Short mmCIF file of all heavy atoms in Angstrom, two decimals:
data_model
loop_
_atom_site.label_atom_id
_atom_site.label_comp_id
_atom_site.label_asym_id
_atom_site.label_seq_id
_atom_site.Cartn_x
_atom_site.Cartn_y
_atom_site.Cartn_z
N TYR T 49 15.39 4.32 14.15
CA TYR T 49 16.48 3.36 13.98
C TYR T 49 17.73 4.03 14.53
O TYR T 49 18.12 5.12 14.06
CB TYR T 49 16.63 3.10 12.48
CG TYR T 49 17.58 2.02 12.08
CD1 TYR T 49 17.20 0.68 12.17
CD2 TYR T 49 18.83 2.33 11.56
CE1 TYR T 49 18.07 -0.32 11.75
CE2 TYR T 49 19.70 1.32 11.14
CZ TYR T 49 19.30 0.00 11.23
OH TYR T 49 20.16 -0.99 10.82
N ALA T 76 8.64 1.26 10.45
CA ALA T 76 10.00 1.09 11.00
C ALA T 76 10.93 2.05 10.26
O ALA T 76 10.98 2.05 9.03
CB ALA T 76 10.46 -0.34 10.80
N HIS T 77 11.66 2.88 11.02
CA HIS T 77 12.67 3.72 10.39
C HIS T 77 13.86 2.82 10.05
O HIS T 77 14.13 1.85 10.77
CB HIS T 77 13.14 4.83 11.34
CG HIS T 77 12.08 5.83 11.66
ND1 HIS T 77 12.33 7.17 11.77
CD2 HIS T 77 10.75 5.70 11.89
CE1 HIS T 77 11.20 7.82 12.06
NE2 HIS T 77 10.24 6.93 12.15
N PHE T 78 14.58 3.20 9.00
CA PHE T 78 15.69 2.35 8.55
C PHE T 78 16.70 3.22 7.82
O PHE T 78 16.32 4.05 7.00
CB PHE T 78 15.12 1.28 7.61
CG PHE T 78 16.09 0.19 7.25
CD1 PHE T 78 17.04 -0.26 8.15
CD2 PHE T 78 16.04 -0.41 5.99
CE1 PHE T 78 17.93 -1.26 7.81
CE2 PHE T 78 16.92 -1.42 5.64
CZ PHE T 78 17.86 -1.85 6.55
N THR T 79 17.97 3.07 8.15
CA THR T 79 19.00 3.90 7.49
C THR T 79 20.02 3.01 6.75
O THR T 79 20.10 1.80 6.98
CB THR T 79 19.77 4.79 8.49
OG1 THR T 79 20.72 3.97 9.19
CG2 THR T 79 18.86 5.49 9.47
N CYS T 80 20.80 3.68 5.91
CA CYS T 80 21.82 2.98 5.12
C CYS T 80 23.14 2.84 5.89
O CYS T 80 24.09 2.22 5.39
CB CYS T 80 22.12 3.76 3.84
SG CYS T 80 20.69 4.18 2.86
N SER T 83 25.69 -0.46 6.38
CA SER T 83 25.11 -1.70 5.83
C SER T 83 25.41 -1.86 4.34
O SER T 83 25.31 -0.89 3.58
CB SER T 83 23.58 -1.69 5.98
OG SER T 83 23.22 -1.64 7.33
N ASP T 87 22.99 -6.63 3.63
CA ASP T 87 22.52 -6.39 5.01
C ASP T 87 21.14 -5.73 4.97
O ASP T 87 20.24 -6.07 5.75
CB ASP T 87 23.45 -5.43 5.77
CG ASP T 87 24.86 -5.99 5.94
OD1 ASP T 87 25.00 -7.22 5.95
OD2 ASP T 87 25.80 -5.16 6.06
N LEU T 88 21.00 -4.74 4.09
CA LEU T 88 19.73 -4.01 4.00
C LEU T 88 18.61 -4.97 3.62
O LEU T 88 17.52 -4.96 4.20
CB LEU T 88 19.82 -2.87 2.97
CG LEU T 88 20.85 -1.76 3.27
CD1 LEU T 88 21.02 -0.84 2.06
CD2 LEU T 88 20.46 -0.95 4.49
N TRP T 91 17.53 -7.24 6.53
CA TRP T 91 16.72 -6.52 7.54
C TRP T 91 15.30 -6.33 6.99
O TRP T 91 14.31 -6.51 7.72
CB TRP T 91 17.38 -5.18 7.84
CG TRP T 91 16.77 -4.41 8.97
CD1 TRP T 91 17.16 -4.42 10.27
CD2 TRP T 91 15.67 -3.49 8.90
NE1 TRP T 91 16.36 -3.58 11.02
CE2 TRP T 91 15.44 -2.99 10.20
CE3 TRP T 91 14.84 -3.04 7.87
CZ2 TRP T 91 14.44 -2.06 10.50
CZ3 TRP T 91 13.84 -2.12 8.16
CH2 TRP T 91 13.65 -1.64 9.46
N LEU T 92 15.20 -6.00 5.71
CA LEU T 92 13.87 -5.79 5.12
C LEU T 92 13.06 -7.08 5.11
O LEU T 92 11.86 -7.09 5.32
CB LEU T 92 14.01 -5.23 3.70
CG LEU T 92 14.48 -3.77 3.63
CD1 LEU T 92 14.98 -3.41 2.23
CD2 LEU T 92 13.36 -2.81 4.06
N ILE T 103 8.05 1.56 5.79
CA ILE T 103 9.44 1.84 6.14
C ILE T 103 9.70 3.33 5.93
O ILE T 103 9.33 3.90 4.89
CB ILE T 103 10.43 1.05 5.21
CG1 ILE T 103 10.11 -0.46 5.17
CG2 ILE T 103 11.88 1.31 5.63
CD1 ILE T 103 10.37 -1.24 6.42
N MET T 104 10.29 3.98 6.93
CA MET T 104 10.78 5.35 6.78
C MET T 104 12.20 5.20 6.26
O MET T 104 13.10 4.80 7.02
CB MET T 104 10.76 6.07 8.13
CG MET T 104 10.98 7.55 8.05
SD MET T 104 9.54 8.46 7.44
CE MET T 104 8.50 8.51 8.89
N ALA T 105 12.41 5.45 4.99
CA ALA T 105 13.69 5.13 4.34
C ALA T 105 14.62 6.34 4.40
O ALA T 105 14.35 7.37 3.79
CB ALA T 105 13.44 4.71 2.90
N LEU T 106 15.73 6.17 5.11
CA LEU T 106 16.63 7.30 5.39
C LEU T 106 18.06 6.94 5.05
O LEU T 106 18.43 5.76 5.06
CB LEU T 106 16.57 7.62 6.89
CG LEU T 106 15.17 7.93 7.40
CD1 LEU T 106 14.98 7.37 8.79
CD2 LEU T 106 14.90 9.42 7.36
N ARG T 107 18.85 7.97 4.80
CA ARG T 107 20.28 7.71 4.63
C ARG T 107 20.96 7.53 5.97
O ARG T 107 21.79 6.66 6.15
CB ARG T 107 20.93 8.90 3.89
CG ARG T 107 22.39 8.68 3.57
CD ARG T 107 23.12 9.98 3.33
NE ARG T 107 23.24 10.78 4.54
CZ ARG T 107 23.83 11.96 4.60
NH1 ARG T 107 24.34 12.48 3.49
NH2 ARG T 107 23.91 12.62 5.74
N LEU T 130 17.91 3.58 -1.33
CA LEU T 130 17.20 2.67 -0.42
C LEU T 130 15.71 2.59 -0.81
O LEU T 130 15.11 1.52 -0.82
CB LEU T 130 17.36 3.16 1.03
CG LEU T 130 16.67 2.35 2.11
CD1 LEU T 130 17.15 0.88 2.11
CD2 LEU T 130 16.91 2.95 3.50
N ILE T 134 13.63 -0.79 -1.85
CA ILE T 134 12.40 -1.23 -1.17
C ILE T 134 11.26 -1.31 -2.19
O ILE T 134 10.51 -2.29 -2.22
CB ILE T 134 12.03 -0.25 -0.03
CG1 ILE T 134 13.14 -0.20 1.02
CG2 ILE T 134 10.69 -0.64 0.62
CD1 ILE T 134 13.00 0.92 2.05
#
Side-chain angles (χ1 to χ4, degrees):
Y49 188 79
H77 294 219
F78 190 34
T79 77
C80 308
S83 298
D87 297 333
L88 298 170
W91 188 94
L92 288 163
I103 307 291
M104 191 76 78
L106 303 143
R107 184 201 68 180
L130 179 58
I134 299 169

